[in-house]
Amino acid sequence: MLNYLIDLVIFLKIKCSEKKYNYVFFNENNNTFQYLKEIIKNKSSKKEVLLLSIKKSDLKDLKINQISFKTQFFYRLFFLTLKIKILYTTTVDLENSFFLKSKFQKNFYIYIQHSTVSLSKKYGAKAFNEFDAVQVINKSQYDDLQDINRINKRKIRPIKSSYKFFDVVPKNSKSPKVDFLIAPTWNTNFYELKLHLKLIKLIEQKKMSYELRPHFMSFEKKELKIENNPEINYNLDNLLNFNKYKYLISDWSGLFIEFAIINKCKPFLLNTNQKALNDSFNLFKNKPIEVTSKQFLAHEVDVSNLEIIFDIINDNNKSSIESEQIFDFYKKNFYFKSL
C-alpha cells in the first residue's frame, strides 16, 4: 500500500507540470541508457525533458527531471494518460506490454537502437508495429523495416543515423589488459552446453586471462546464476570498453559486429542454436546482418572444436587484411549522419 501512495504522489506532481515538457524519454535499464543520453543532452539544451526510468540512471551533467515508479500500475497509468507529444525509447513492444500508447492524445513514438543486429529474427513479430519512427543504423536494418512495413501493412518512418555506441565507447590507445572477452547473447544453448566453463578451462590451461559478460536477459531468464560459479571473472559494467580485450568469443550477439569494427579484429563466433524470437521471420526478404556479416567480420567455430580458437590465433598473420576487410564492410553498410 505504501508503494502505491508514494507512486500516486509522484504521478500527481508530474501531471500538474506535464505541459511544460516537450520530450519524454523512457529508459528500461542502465545498460541502454547510454544510447539515449546524448539525445537527451541535445534536446534538454533547448527544451524541457522528462526521463522516466524503471531503474534510475546516473544523470551526471544532465539537468533534467527523472522519475520512476515502484508499481507497474502507475507505469501503465503514466503511459495511458501521457500528454507529452514526443517519446524516445530503447524499449520494444509498444502496446504489447505495460508500455502503452496514450488514450488522451496522439503522440509520436520513436525507437532508438541499442544493437546492430537485425530487426527481424532477434525481436518479436509485433516489436515495432506501433512506433511512428524507428532509428536504423545500417542498411540491413533499413531493409528489415521495409519488410516490417510490407508484412504488417505499416508506415513506420525509418530514421537513418549513426550508431551511438560507436560514439560513446571509450577510446584507449593502450595495449589490451585481458586476453578474452566471453560475451554470448541470451536464448541460445550456450549455457546449456556449459560452453562458458569449457572455454574458461581452455583459456586457463593456456595461462591466458578472460572475463565473462553475460547478457542481462540471461540472468532474468535464469540461464545463468553467479552464485553457482562465483569464482568466474565477470564483467557486469554498464558501459563495455572493448579496448580492454584482445579477443572476443561470442555466438549470435550483436557485440561481435561492434567488436570487429571498433578493434579491427575478427571475433570468434560459436555455432550455438540461432536465436529466433519472430515466428514470421521467413516472411522477410532481407537476410539478417548477423548472418550476412559473418564471413567478413568473424571466425566461425564449431562448439565441438573449441581448441581451434587458439590455432587460429597462432596462425593468424593476416591482421592487416582483416582490418581492411572490416573497415570496408563498415563503410559500405553503416550510416554516419548524427541523429
Side-chain angles (χ1 to χ4, degrees):
M1 180 60 72
L2 180 60
N3 285 344
Y4 279 91
L5 291 174
I6 293 171
D7 281 356
L8 177 60
V9 172
I10 295 171
F11 177 79
L12 292 176
K13 281 184 178 179
I14 286 299
K15 282 294 153 184
C16 290
S17 61
E18 191 175 28
K19 288 183 180 179
K20 77 174 186 178
Y21 293 106
N22 302 97
Y23 304 97
V24 57
F25 287 77
F26 171 43
N27 184 50
E28 196 169 4
N29 61 70
N30 290 328
N31 290 329
T32 56
F33 181 64
Q34 60 181 302
Y35 301 92
L36 297 174
K37 189 175 180 180
E38 196 62 30
I39 307 172
I40 293 173
K41 188 175 181 179
N42 292 339
K43 298 298 182 185
S44 61
S45 65
K46 299 177 182 178
K47 302 287 186 178
E48 291 291 333
V49 170
L50 175 67
L51 173 62
L52 173 66
S53 300
I54 292 182
K55 293 184 179 179
K56 284 203 170 183
S57 304
D58 183 2
L59 300 183
K60 290 185 179 177
D61 56 335
L62 294 176
K63 296 179 180 179
I64 61 170
N65 189 10
Q66 179 178 203
I67 63 166
S68 61
F69 297 111
K70 296 180 180 297
T71 61
Q72 195 175 99
F73 172 81
F74 276 94
Y75 280 105
R76 286 177 175 270
L77 189 61
F78 175 88
F79 290 127
L80 287 169
T81 60
L82 183 65
K83 290 186 178 180
I84 304 172
K85 289 186 177 180
I86 300 176
L87 182 146
Y88 289 86
T89 187
T90 57
T91 300
V92 294
D93 286 323
L94 179 60
E95 289 285 85
N96 297 320
S97 63
F98 68 90
F99 181 25
L100 301 164
K101 282 187 171 182
S102 174
K103 304 303 178 186
F104 282 75
Q105 69 176 32
K106 182 173 175 54
N107 298 323
F108 197 81
Y109 296 84
I110 304 170
Y111 179 80
I112 301 299
Q113 298 295 338
H114 63 275
S115 177
T116 59
V117 297
S118 63
L119 309 185
S120 54
K121 213 165 189 179
K122 297 299 180 75
Y123 297 91
K126 298 179 180 179
F128 303 101
N129 280 6
E130 299 302 323
F131 284 97
D132 298 285
V134 169
Q135 180 197 27
V136 291
I137 52 98
N138 55 52
K139 292 178 181 178
S140 182
Q141 287 185 350
Y142 176 86
D143 291 339
D144 286 338
L145 190 59
Q146 301 311 306
D147 275 336
I148 289 170
N149 282 332
R150 173 182 57 82
I151 293 166
N152 299 309
K153 296 180 172 56
R154 302 289 178 179
K155 294 182 179 180
I156 306 166
R157 175 188 161 193
I159 302 175
K160 298 178 182 178
S161 64
S162 61
Y163 184 39
K164 280 300 162 191
F165 184 82
F166 293 142
D167 298 330
V168 303
V169 67
K171 304 295 188 294
N172 188 354
S173 59
K174 296 180 180 178
S175 299
K177 296 179 180 178
V178 180
D179 291 309
F180 289 96
L181 171 65
I182 305 171
T185 189
W186 66 286
N187 201 38
T188 67
N189 60 339
F190 183 92
Y191 295 109
E192 181 184 334
L193 295 174
K194 300 188 184 305
L195 292 174
H196 58 309
L197 300 180
K198 294 176 183 178
L199 285 166
I200 290 169
K201 183 178 179 181
L202 284 171
I203 291 169
E204 289 180 337
Q205 285 175 353
K206 299 289 183 181
K207 300 191 183 309
M208 300 175 82
S209 55
Y210 75 90
E211 285 183 353
L212 174 64
R213 182 181 174 84
H215 193 287
F216 71 92
M217 285 297 293
S218 291
F219 291 124
E220 288 196 19
K221 298 297 183 181
K222 295 182 171 49
E223 295 176 348
L224 178 74
K225 293 182 179 180
I226 290 180
E227 55 267 31
N228 289 348
N229 297 100
E231 76 284 359
I232 287 176
N233 299 324
Y234 291 96
N235 179 328
L236 303 178
D237 297 341
N238 291 328
L239 181 57
L240 182 58
N241 183 357
F242 280 140
N243 297 290
K244 182 180 176 182
Y245 306 96
K246 195 169 184 180
Y247 307 107
L248 169 68
I249 302 175
S250 186
D251 49 5
W252 292 98
S253 172
L255 282 181
F256 90 84
I257 299 174
E258 297 165 2
F259 185 90
I261 290 170
I262 290 168
N263 284 31
K264 300 177 179 60
C265 170
K266 287 188 176 183
F268 299 96
L269 298 188
L270 310 188
N271 62 342
T272 56
N273 293 344
Q274 190 173 356
K275 178 169 71 175
L277 301 179
N278 186 355
D279 294 335
S280 304
F281 167 72
N282 291 330
L283 297 176
F284 282 71
K285 294 179 181 178
N286 188 49
K287 289 185 178 180
I289 189 172
E290 56 271 21
V291 173
T292 59
S293 65
K294 273 187 169 187
Q295 61 179 308
F296 305 104
L297 303 183
H299 299 289
E300 296 187 60
V301 176
D302 193 279
V303 295
S304 64
N305 187 20
L306 300 179
E307 292 86 353
I308 199 172
I309 291 172
F310 303 96
D311 295 335
I312 293 171
I313 290 173
N314 292 332
D315 292 342
N316 192 6
N317 297 314
K318 303 176 182 177
S319 57
S320 60
I321 298 173
E322 285 186 3
S323 179
E324 289 177 14
Q325 191 177 39
I326 291 167
F327 181 71
D328 188 55
F329 180 88
Y330 176 52
K331 192 168 57 173
K332 287 180 179 178
N333 290 279
F334 281 77
Y335 301 123
F336 301 97
K337 181 181 176 183
S338 296
L339 186 65

